[in-house]
Amino acid sequence: MKDKDDLLRAAEYYDVYTVQGRAILKTIIAASGKDYSAKLTISSLSELSQVSRQGVYNCMRYLIKDQFIEVIKTSGRKISLFILNPKKLQEMQEYYNTLHVAKSTLKNN
């Protein structure tokens, strides 16, 4: 996985999603390993992201629909496997880089 700090910074400014959606995304990034996956319960995701459980479910619908994450539920267990899409992470990073360059350009003019 790319540098987590860079991805977390990019997620913070990824205004494609709401503040809650970005918090969920940042939490999954922070909890994930080199394989782009994180094992979490909805309760722990809610607590770590400081988003209500209902908010987590609502935001996940968009993240799944946009193919940003895949969620695999373990049958009979509360733990889910959240898998981040590396291509979407790259798009998010590129978006952040574009914003950063634009801000620098505008600041210097």
Side-chain angles (χ1 to χ4, degrees):
M1 177 178 275
K2 289 187 172 190
D3 183 22
K4 276 191 187 184
D5 289 335
D6 289 343
L7 288 173
L8 291 168
R9 191 174 309 106
E12 178 69 31
Y13 290 95
Y14 198 55
D15 57 1
V16 171
Y17 296 115
T18 64
V19 172
Q20 289 182 332
R22 293 191 305 262
I24 301 295
L25 189 54
K26 286 175 19 183
T27 301
I28 295 170
I29 291 169
S32 65
K34 291 181 181 181
D35 63 352
Y36 297 97
S37 70
K39 290 182 181 178
L40 297 165
T41 63
I42 295 299
S43 294
S44 62
L45 185 53
S46 172
E47 182 181 331
L48 290 169
S49 64
Q50 297 182 343
V51 174
S52 70
R53 288 170 48 93
Q54 185 60 46
V56 169
Y57 284 115
N58 290 339
C59 293
M60 281 184 8
R61 277 198 308 258
Y62 291 104
L63 292 168
I64 292 167
K65 182 180 124 258
D66 292 345
Q67 298 178 345
F68 219 107
I69 63 169
E70 180 182 354
V71 180
I72 301 171
K73 294 184 180 184
T74 309
S75 88
R77 303 180 88 190
K78 291 184 177 184
I79 296 175
S80 295
L81 180 64
F82 296 88
I83 303 170
L84 294 158
N85 181 337
K87 289 180 184 178
K88 291 293 189 173
L89 291 174
Q90 180 65 35
E91 286 177 23
M92 180 183 71
Q93 188 69 52
E94 289 170 4
Y95 179 80
Y96 172 74
N97 292 341
T98 300
L99 284 179
H100 186 70
V101 168
K103 284 181 183 180
S104 294
T105 302
L106 291 171
K107 192 176 192 180
N108 293 328
N109 286 329

